[in-house]
Amino acid sequence: MKLGVIPGDGTGPEVVGEALKVLDATGVAVERVAFHLGAERYLSTGDTLPDDELARLKSMDALLLGAVGDPRVPPGVLERDLLLRIRFELDQYVNLRPVVRYPGVRTLIPSHTEADVNFVVVRENSEGLYTGAGGFHRKGTAHEVAVQESINTRHGVERIVRYAFELASTRRRKLTLVHKTNVLTYAGDLYQRVVNEVGAADYPDVERDYVHVDAACIYFLDQPSRFDVIVTDNMFGDIVTDLGAMIQGGMGIAAGGNINPDGVSMFEPIGGTAPDHTGKGTINPLAAIGAMHMLLNELGETDAAIRVDAGIRFASSKLHSMRAGEMGFTTREVGDLVVEGMPS
Ligand code: IPM
Ligand code: MG
């Protein structure tokens, strides 16, 4: 098995180091291939993702990404030309983001229990507002027009909806479409019709629900137990999963996967590069270790994944906080705690 590792920028290399430590402790045999992509490469060479590097990425079995971004790089460059380019070129059309409250974790909502917060967001990851469609007209003038279009294809919507139904049928059998059908009457309508059609035809035993995206934000805080699997578009998924991370305990614990079920998937902590914490040993590696847990699951290494999850749960119950600098342990010590908590 070949694992492509993109440590990236800021605290990325530190958290990736702990995820790889945990991988080693599982005993799963993997060949690691390092990729030097991110701000340093861009600043010294001007390239973000050359074609030969992209081809090398495509030849891996899976990818682990730390984080990319740097205050010295103009906004959008690394996001669009590196992160989104990988997602699009590798057709990682599912952005899978579990929202799970681990044992002992304190969050901003003290009334939530572990049982309340246990759902998965299936975010469409290949189209919507993220395709870059649109443009300027009369830029810089008083009559400037900026158009940013949301692209939603039947093919794209159907494959994400099917993925979500399939997942729901292995869980508590409830699928909630989160959208804004009362205003986005074309894209929302397409999503709703596909959910109804696919559900009625192929997943009659999965309960279907619909929640507007603004109301979903209320329910994340007020009634998270109403969710099992959420399916939503790219932009709404981006936004609600940051709220999801907060009800898990923060960015320090939130992991995600960019999945191509028939290709190469990439797993990442969903937080950023945390420049203030870089090099200090204060960043929380649990999100990156959670990404490793998801990666092992995707590769069918189920036993190893179960052991890593047990390790994360052991560590989460010891940490004082999920927040960087407030964990009561260093980054490396948290990695060690996960290893210590892994059943043999
Ligand atoms: C995420 C991030 C990215 C996104 C950014 C960095 C382009 O916010 O993974 O959620 O919007 O998808
Ligand atoms: Mg985001």
Side-chain angles (χ1 to χ4, degrees), residues 79 83-84 87 95 97 123 130 238 241-242 268 270:
E79 291 84 347
L83 180 63
L84 296 183
R87 290 179 182 171
N95 195 324
R97 296 190 163 177
R123 165 186 173 191
Y130 276 69
D238 176 48
T241 53
D242 270 19
E268 52 175 335
I270 80 172

Side-chain angles (χ1 to χ4, degrees), residues 80-109:
R80 184 148 288 287
D81 298 342
L82 181 56
L83 180 63
L84 296 183
R85 182 141 181 257
I86 296 174
R87 290 179 182 171
F88 291 164
E89 292 275 359
L90 275 59
D91 203 17
Q92 296 164 338
Y93 66 85
V94 181
N95 195 324
L96 189 66
R97 296 190 163 177
V99 179
V100 177
R101 174 84 175 266
Y102 290 97
V105 176
R106 277 197 304 272
T107 75
L108 296 169
I109 313 291

